[in-house]
Amino acid sequence: MKRDGGRTGERAGGRAGERAGAASSLPLGVDRGSPVPLYFQLARQLEELIERGRLAPGSLLGNEIELAARLGLSRPTVRQAIQSLVDKGLLVRRRGVGTQVVHSKVRRPLELSSLYDDLEAAGQRPATRVLRNTVEPAGAAVAAALGVPEGAEVRLVERLRLAHGEPVARLRNHLPPGLLELGTERLEATGLYRLMREAGIALHSARQCVGARAATAAEGAELTEPAGAPLLTMERTTYDDTGRAVEFGSHVYRASRYSFEFQLLARP
């Protein structure tokens, strides 16, 4: 048989068959008249189904031979599509099991919202593990961000945020004294911004800086990443509608599970 490289020599029929298992009712199709390679079309459709929660973590896609037969594609084309999603961390190959959905990647728009609310809106089943909830003297950077004297007591909250039971980010937040009561049980039940709004704090704006660095050994252990793995970083100072700084956050995110989205507008 002539090898098609993902574009030609495919078996006739543009619509794919149904998959077995949890996703058996999900139709997949390819457009052979499109300039987009067939493997990329398949990979993109599977990725969208994962992101929408139609293919939940743990769902089985079957092996490459079965997928090729069901979708009417050559095995190299299916293998290339699967490998691209394995490289993104969305799928994993398990010996004796087949190809399995691991999780979807969190794509967060850059707006004044909490990670908890964004995960919940995306159907990612957020959960929180509180690591520290205490009061400590403000260091120079925290004092400057919150507009309090250096050494003044501020609230420190450190949390591990999970999606579908897997860690996504380590969150470190400082709040000015007396802002609101933050019990550990409440922090584990919902997001910080939601608690602020419930307390009557009107969040208005924020100043934010996004960067990247390598994970330390401790961070890697908490986030289930190897030491030296890439992490996204974010520092944010949030203000209420009176201009008061109500929160200074310093967070790290798994780059394999998380990304920021920007909308860029041309100047007139």
Side-chain angles (χ1 to χ4, degrees):
M1 175 186 257
K2 183 178 178 181
R3 184 166 180 172
D4 59 16
R7 292 295 311 280
T8 62
E10 300 289 358
R11 199 165 57 193
R15 297 301 298 174
E18 293 182 341
R19 289 197 305 105
S24 60
S25 63
L26 299 175
L28 296 168
V30 293
D31 180 2
R32 288 173 173 77
S34 170
V36 178
L38 296 177
Y39 88 89
F40 189 86
Q41 292 184 44
L42 173 59
R44 185 59 192 142
Q45 289 177 68
L46 291 172
E47 185 173 356
E48 288 177 355
L49 292 172
I50 294 170
E51 289 176 351
R52 294 174 187 166
R54 300 284 301 277
L55 287 174
S59 298
L60 290 173
L61 299 184
N63 61 41
E64 293 169 359
I65 298 175
E66 292 171 344
L67 280 174
R70 291 179 183 133
L71 300 177
L73 300 174
S74 68
R75 187 178 179 185
T77 297
V78 173
R79 183 187 301 124
Q80 193 173 5
I82 289 175
Q83 186 59 49
S84 68
L85 298 183
V86 170
D87 292 342
K88 287 185 175 183
L90 302 180
L91 299 177
V92 64
R93 290 188 173 98
R94 301 191 189 282
R95 181 172 296 178
V97 176
T99 303
Q100 193 171 26
V101 177
V102 181
H103 47 59
S104 59
K105 188 169 184 176
V106 180
R107 289 179 170 86
R108 185 179 184 185
L110 279 182
E111 57 187 27
L112 188 52
S113 62
S114 73
L115 176 58
Y116 188 96
D117 290 342
D118 290 339
L119 291 173
E120 189 173 66
Q124 295 275 341
R125 298 205 306 269
T128 305
R129 187 182 306 153
V130 175
L131 306 176
R132 293 180 68 192
N133 182 12
T134 188
V135 172
E136 69 173 17
V142 172
L146 296 179
V148 300
E150 187 172 353
E153 287 193 340
V154 294
R155 170 67 57 179
L156 167 64
V157 176
E158 293 184 345
R159 296 161 294 161
L160 196 64
R161 180 61 42 78
L162 302 95
H164 292 301
E166 293 191 16
V168 175
R170 192 186 197 284
L171 313 175
R172 179 181 174 91
N173 298 84
H174 285 90
L175 292 81
L179 183 70
L180 76 164
E181 292 296 323
L182 287 176
T184 296
E185 185 175 344
R186 296 185 71 202
L187 283 167
E188 291 189 337
T190 188
L192 178 58
Y193 281 8
R194 192 174 296 181
L195 292 175
M196 287 185 176
R197 294 187 178 101
E198 289 175 358
I201 299 169
L203 304 177
H204 178 267
S205 60
R207 185 174 62 249
Q208 182 168 282
C209 178
V210 177
R213 62 173 173 80
T216 65
E219 289 169 337
E222 288 179 331
L223 297 172
T224 64
E225 293 279 2
L231 298 178
L232 293 173
T233 66
M234 183 183 76
E235 285 194 354
R236 174 190 280 183
T237 304
T238 305
Y239 305 89
D240 67 8
D241 56 354
T242 70
R244 172 185 58 165
V246 295
E247 174 251 347
F248 174 65
S250 180
H251 311 324
V252 292
Y253 304 82
R254 294 173 64 185
S256 63
R257 289 290 321 274
Y258 193 91
S259 64
F260 291 104
E261 288 190 346
F262 299 79
Q263 182 177 9
L264 305 177
L265 301 176
R267 288 184 178 179

